[in-house]
Amino acid sequence: MDNNLINHPGVLIGFAVLILVMLLLDLGVFNKKVHAVSSKEAAIWSIVWITLSMAFSGVIYVTSGFEKFTQFQSAYWIEKALSVDNLFVFILVFGFFKVPKELHHKVLFWGIIGALVFRAIFIFAGVGLINLTYLPEMKVLGEMVKINVILSVFGVFLIYAGIKSWVASDDDDEDKDFSQSAGARLVYKFFKVSKEFDGGKFFTIENGIKVATPLLVVVAVIEFTDLIFAVDSIPAIFAIAPDDPLILYTSNIFAILGLRALYFLLANFIHMFSLLKYGLAIILTFIGVKMVIAPVYHISSPLSLSIVGGVLILSVIASLIFAPKEKEAIKESK
């Protein structure tokens, strides 16, 4: 059995067609009319995306073997877990700009389109850079090893990011002025922006002049927010399969595409996952340690998947058990 997904063009074509069809159905059929997404609708779409992701991982198992299957699963759940962190910020962004609920879906849709492009650039460029930065073989602790500069730097950065995430205050983002973020400043620099939304339009006519609406500003803020989060998540998945960009990209995209439905499903219950950030901090630190020690000790993909899955499950259970009361959560969010 061939162990490289890249040698199976049928799988890649199937992936591309599936994503394109699902996006067209999402935008052109199921969400043709602007509306607020209900919890029921979000739950259905969450199940659909997770089912498609698991089915695709089954195809990988059949075409490329168990090792590639566990790599996909590990990268998928790592990205899925880290993406939950985005939800906290998305809620704050929508609240800051007072975005009507019926427009949330459109903003997240175009945010995901941008993620499809930028994640591809990050992942394929990153793998290419990794292949160019291996040091000559050297002896460490009596063993001949091959150290990669980029992976080692990423590992140290993830350990730092994990520790920082553990000690970070929840108030850091709540007090942030999103109108001063890089995405917002970019829109304000090139366009005059109206004060009011005009339905789902990105541009409108005001006093005979074409101007941008606040909706375009919000999309730009969401896009730049995703880029910031990618600084953590992309290096993290490089620890799983640094030599296979297609495993990394397909797992990443499936996780990102399911994020939008997850947002609508969890937006009203986000306070129930108050301890998840500690689980994510542990995962980041673990992956960083794995990358740093990789030249001398290899932690297998199945073991990595078990550790990541175990930490996620425990942190979610702990969050549900020790969830703050709804009134306290509302008070803290103000």
Side-chain angles (χ1 to χ4, degrees):
M1 181 180 290
D2 198 322
N3 288 322
N4 199 331
L5 181 64
I6 199 170
N7 292 328
H8 298 278
V11 175
L12 303 178
I13 293 172
F15 167 76
V17 171
L18 174 63
I19 298 303
L20 181 60
V21 169
M22 291 302 294
L23 288 175
L24 289 175
L25 285 174
D26 189 344
L27 186 63
V29 178
F30 296 107
N31 292 285
K32 190 173 183 179
K33 293 183 179 180
V34 175
H35 67 286
V37 177
S38 66
S39 295
K40 180 181 178 180
E41 183 181 350
I44 292 173
W45 274 104
S46 291
I47 293 171
V48 167
W49 279 116
I50 292 176
T51 301
L52 289 174
S53 304
M54 296 303 99
F56 187 78
S57 71
V59 173
I60 291 176
Y61 177 76
V62 172
T63 61
S64 305
F66 183 68
E67 178 69 17
K68 291 296 180 183
F69 167 80
T70 56
Q71 287 179 354
F72 177 94
Q73 288 283 343
S74 297
Y76 173 81
W77 289 111
I78 287 171
E79 180 61 39
K80 195 78 167 176
L82 295 177
S83 293
V84 172
D85 231 12
N86 294 26
L87 301 184
F88 293 90
V89 179
F90 290 170
I91 291 171
L92 294 175
V93 170
F94 288 138
F96 180 88
F97 288 101
K98 297 180 174 58
V99 183
K101 285 189 176 181
E102 61 270 18
L103 298 180
H104 289 192
H105 177 275
K106 184 169 185 176
V107 172
L108 294 176
F109 179 88
W110 288 107
I112 284 173
I113 295 298
L116 289 172
V117 176
F118 290 119
R119 297 300 174 102
I121 295 172
F122 286 171
I123 289 172
F124 285 90
V127 170
L129 190 59
I130 287 170
N131 290 332
L132 294 174
T133 54
Y134 279 99
L135 296 177
E137 205 170 27
M138 63 184 70
K139 184 174 286 189
V140 177
L141 300 176
E143 297 287 338
M144 296 302 294
V145 299
K146 207 169 185 180
I147 297 174
N148 186 279
V149 176
I150 294 298
L151 289 178
S152 298
V153 171
F154 280 168
V156 172
F157 170 75
L158 289 175
I159 294 172
Y160 165 76
I163 295 172
K164 183 180 178 181
S165 178
W166 182 282
V167 301
S169 169
D170 293 334
D171 297 329
D172 291 346
D173 284 322
E174 291 182 7
D175 298 329
K176 187 172 181 179
D177 182 357
F178 290 101
S179 66
Q180 297 302 313
S181 67
R185 291 202 306 269
L186 187 65
V187 174
Y188 289 133
K189 181 177 181 179
F190 290 99
F191 304 101
K192 183 179 179 181
V193 180
S194 65
K195 293 182 179 180
E196 303 294 333
F197 289 92
D198 186 6
K201 296 179 181 178
F202 291 124
F203 293 93
T204 188
I205 303 298
E206 194 174 76
N207 298 323
I209 301 174
K210 188 176 183 180
V211 296
T213 68
L215 193 65
L216 183 64
V217 178
V218 176
V219 170
V221 172
I222 293 295
E223 290 284 9
F224 274 84
T225 299
D226 179 70
L227 289 178
I228 293 172
F229 277 101
V231 172
D232 284 345
S233 65
I234 298 302
I237 62 174
F238 280 139
I240 306 301
D243 59 344
D244 197 334
L246 295 171
I247 283 286
L248 301 181
Y249 185 65
T250 53
S251 60
N252 201 269
I253 294 310
F254 270 116
I256 290 296
L257 287 169
L259 175 64
R260 186 176 28 154
L262 192 63
Y263 165 81
F264 292 107
L265 186 61
L266 299 181
N268 295 326
F269 309 99
I270 204 72
H271 63 278
M272 296 176 64
F273 298 89
S274 57
L275 300 181
L276 183 60
K277 77 166 197 172
Y278 297 108
L280 299 181
I282 292 172
I283 290 172
L284 284 174
T285 305
F286 162 70
I287 295 170
V289 170
K290 175 181 177 177
M291 295 175 88
V292 171
I293 68 174
V296 294
Y297 183 78
H298 173 65
I299 300 176
S300 68
S301 293
L303 179 57
S304 297
L305 178 59
S306 300
I307 293 173
V308 170
V311 170
L312 275 179
I313 292 172
L314 289 175
S315 60
V316 170
I317 291 175
S319 294
L320 294 175
I321 293 175
F322 302 104
K325 294 180 180 179
E326 188 172 352
K327 289 182 179 179
E328 293 176 356
I330 294 173
K331 181 179 179 181
E332 290 174 2
S333 65
K334 290 182 178 179

